[in-house]
Amino acid sequence: MKVPKRILTALISMLFVAAVMTGCGTSNVTLSEDKVNVVTTFYTLYDFAGRIGGDKVNVINLVPAGVEPHDWSPKSRDLNHMSKSQLFIYNGAGFEGWVGDFLGSLKKDSGLTVIEASKGIELLHAGHEDDHGHDEGKSNEKDDHGHEHDSDVDPHVWVSPKSALKMAENIKDGIVQADPANKAYYESNYETLKKQLTELDDKFSRTLSKTAKKEIVVSHQAFGYLARDYGLTLKPIMGLSPGAEPTAQDLKEINKFVRDHQVKYIFFEELVSDKLAKTLAKDAGIETLVLNPLEGLTQEQVNAGEHYVSVMENNLQNLLKALQ
């Protein structure tokens, strides 16, 4: 049964109030009394905020390691952390469906700085893209907070290093807004990250422009911005959500795409089941490779010290292997 929006809003508002009153906290995560508390909604934002904020911020990532964030929603302890922090950073573009209700529950004098990391990036819309991921039309709507909402928008902006550069700038601006006294420190850290992302963007542009092939098959439609920015042709098995099941006709078209373009690999992701990708690859007599959409890292990757740049470097190597 579909819950009416007004009831859902009321329920989230009640959770928000209850969270503040009980003061409960996320396991192994606490708010700091002497640092700027920053809450992020998924891994890439957490990585950028931590690297820009350095030792002057306490960054809390809402989605735990190994958890796929598409259908994640906050519990009362998460709402408590958000409401008591100085800065809340979310992706926007419809990625976090629950954010609008949370923002609507905030009081005007809450003191919470809110940053939409995807702001300023030209968005892609499903159903309005050509084979290269180029947008052919869009019709955005904005809520009372000026945030865009569109059921067919592709929210996976961060998967392209070119877009990640803009997101890092937005995050830096938010941290400076929350703690202007340490602006020079944050600006310096940001310039270091910006240099790394610029070099990554250049490497993607330079190497992918030289590949013999341009066509890739991926597990779900998380790589549209990567395709748009670096001249690739994308064929996703599933839609914008990794849980969206393909139809028989979809599978038939994917098999034809593989044959027509002599695709050698089908890409899968660590945080979602690889069963369908491996089945399709086996039927087509080809292999599989990882292409990480950086929605989150596994615990093993966290323990190994992986981060956005290192994972994207691995993605590039796998793309080059597949596009030989």
Side-chain angles (χ1 to χ4, degrees), residues 265-277:
Y265 295 91
I266 291 179
F267 289 107
F268 69 95
E269 306 165 20
E270 290 104 329
L271 295 186
V272 297
S273 173
D274 61 359
K275 183 177 179 180
L276 184 54

Side-chain angles (χ1 to χ4, degrees), residues 71 219-221 236-247 250 276:
D71 297 320
S219 56
H220 95 279
Q221 194 174 336
I237 297 172
M238 294 172 278
L240 292 174
S241 169
E245 292 293 333
T247 65
D250 292 334
L276 184 54

Side-chain angles (χ1 to χ4, degrees), residues 54-293:
D55 59 10
K56 297 188 183 301
V57 302
N58 174 46
V59 187
I60 298 172
N61 193 33
L62 293 177
V63 181
V67 175
E68 210 291 321
H70 271 272
D71 297 320
W72 182 92
S73 58
K75 298 178 175 61
S76 60
R77 61 178 178 268
D78 303 310
L79 294 167
N80 179 58
H81 282 142
M82 289 186 282
S83 66
K84 291 187 175 182
S85 294
Q86 286 73 55
L87 177 61
F88 172 58
I89 305 171
Y90 72 108
N91 182 74
F95 188 60
E96 305 95 339
W98 50 268
V99 162
D101 290 323
F102 166 68
L103 296 179
S105 71
L106 287 175
K107 295 180 180 179
K108 291 183 178 180
D109 60 351
S110 68
L112 178 66
T113 299
V114 178
I115 292 297
E116 184 176 20
S118 65
K119 187 175 181 180
I121 297 172
E122 183 180 356
L123 301 178
L124 296 174
H125 287 239
H128 299 284
E129 299 167 17
D130 62 22
D131 289 339
H132 296 277
H134 297 131
D135 193 10
E136 296 179 346
K138 60 181 73 176
S139 56
N140 295 5
E141 295 181 359
K142 294 185 178 182
D143 63 16
D144 293 337
H145 300 272
H147 303 292
E148 292 184 348
H149 297 279
D150 196 315
S151 60
D152 71 349
V153 73
D154 183 349
H156 304 88
V157 291
W158 64 89
V159 185
S160 165
K162 200 175 296 294
S163 296
L165 276 161
K166 179 59 179 174
M167 299 178 75
E169 181 183 10
N170 290 339
I171 290 169
K172 178 264 296 180
D173 290 345
I175 295 176
V176 169
Q177 183 179 341
D179 183 24
N182 290 300
K183 178 179 179 179
Y185 174 80
Y186 300 134
E187 291 278 3
S188 176
N189 289 346
Y190 163 70
E191 288 299 328
T192 300
L193 176 59
K194 180 182 178 181
K195 183 174 184 292
Q196 293 176 331
L197 293 176
T198 299
E199 291 173 351
L200 187 66
D201 173 39
D202 178 67
K203 187 178 293 186
F204 266 77
S205 296
R206 183 166 30 84
T207 58
L208 291 176
S209 67
K210 298 176 182 178
T211 59
K213 295 178 178 291
K214 302 297 180 186
E215 301 82 16
I216 59 173
V217 178
V218 297
S219 56
H220 95 279
Q221 194 174 336
F223 302 92
Y225 295 92
L226 188 76
R228 178 187 72 182
D229 292 341
Y230 304 106
L232 302 180
T233 299
L234 185 68
K235 192 67 173 178
I237 297 172
M238 294 172 278
L240 292 174
S241 169
E245 292 293 333
T247 65
Q249 182 61 33
D250 292 334
L251 297 178
K252 182 178 179 181
E253 291 177 2
I254 291 166
N255 282 325
K256 184 177 186 302
F257 184 89
V258 168
R259 292 194 307 271
D260 290 348
H261 299 285
Q262 298 180 324
V263 173
K264 298 177 181 178
Y265 295 91
I266 291 179
F267 289 107
F268 69 95
E269 306 165 20
E270 290 104 329
L271 295 186
V272 297
S273 173
D274 61 359
K275 183 177 179 180
L276 184 54
K278 289 190 172 181
T279 299
L280 284 170
K282 183 178 180 181
D283 290 345
I286 59 178
E287 300 180 55
T288 58
L289 278 174
V290 171
L291 195 62
N292 192 327

Side-chain angles (χ1 to χ4, degrees), residues 279-312:
T279 299
L280 284 170
K282 183 178 180 181
D283 290 345
I286 59 178
E287 300 180 55
T288 58
L289 278 174
V290 171
L291 195 62
N292 192 327
L294 279 152
E295 294 172 352
L297 298 185
T298 64
Q299 191 59 55
E300 290 75 17
Q301 289 171 321
V302 172
N303 294 341
E306 296 280 4
H307 49 78
Y308 180 89
V309 173
S310 67
V311 172
M312 287 301 294

